Amino acid sequence: MRPGYLRPAALEAYRRSAVDGWPVVFWRSGCKYCLRLRIRLGRSARQLYWVDIWRDPAGAAVVRVANDGDETVPTVVVRGRPHVNPDPEWVREQLGENSASTE
């Protein structure tokens, strides 16, 4: 992650997402599926809020609720609905829908 790039806590990410429609991604370091998502999204990854569940207990709690007690990541929340390990192309499509709805 680039220096100076702020990773908002889960509550702040939800607040921002409610305003601009950007999805929230719950991830953790060492997760190959999280890395795959970030790499496949490329520059589009900047249009998501990334919350590290190992650094944010509230984020970990959100993931456990969405996954029946498991901390399965990446969990991507789009318009209030969690999606576990979604296809990166699907996530990119959601970004297109959000930018179209905010214009």
Side-chain angles (χ1 to χ4, degrees):
M1 195 168 278
R2 296 185 323 271
Y5 180 80
L6 298 176
R7 287 172 281 179
L11 298 176
E12 180 66 12
Y14 267 107
R15 185 191 67 74
R16 292 179 184 182
S17 179
V19 172
D20 59 25
W22 288 11
V24 179
V25 179
F26 294 94
W27 70 285
R28 65 172 173 75
S29 61
C31 169
K32 64 183 177 181
Y33 302 107
C34 299
L35 181 61
R36 172 182 156 258
L37 177 63
R38 189 179 287 272
I39 289 171
R40 296 262 315 268
L41 288 174
R43 291 182 182 216
S44 298
R46 296 178 190 170
Q47 296 177 337
L48 296 105
Y49 296 110
W50 294 81
V51 178
D52 184 345
I53 66 167
W54 282 359
R55 293 183 182 214
D56 184 357
V62 168
V63 171
R64 285 192 301 273
V65 167
N67 295 294
D68 297 322
D70 294 328
E71 290 186 354
T72 306
V73 290
T75 296
V76 181
V77 178
V78 179
R79 291 182 287 284
R81 297 192 61 203
H83 304 272
V84 180
N85 196 18
D87 182 87
E89 285 305 312
W90 179 85
V91 175
R92 185 175 282 117
E93 289 170 10
Q94 304 314 301
L95 295 175
E97 288 178 16
N98 288 332
S99 64
S101 65
T102 57
E103 291 177 359

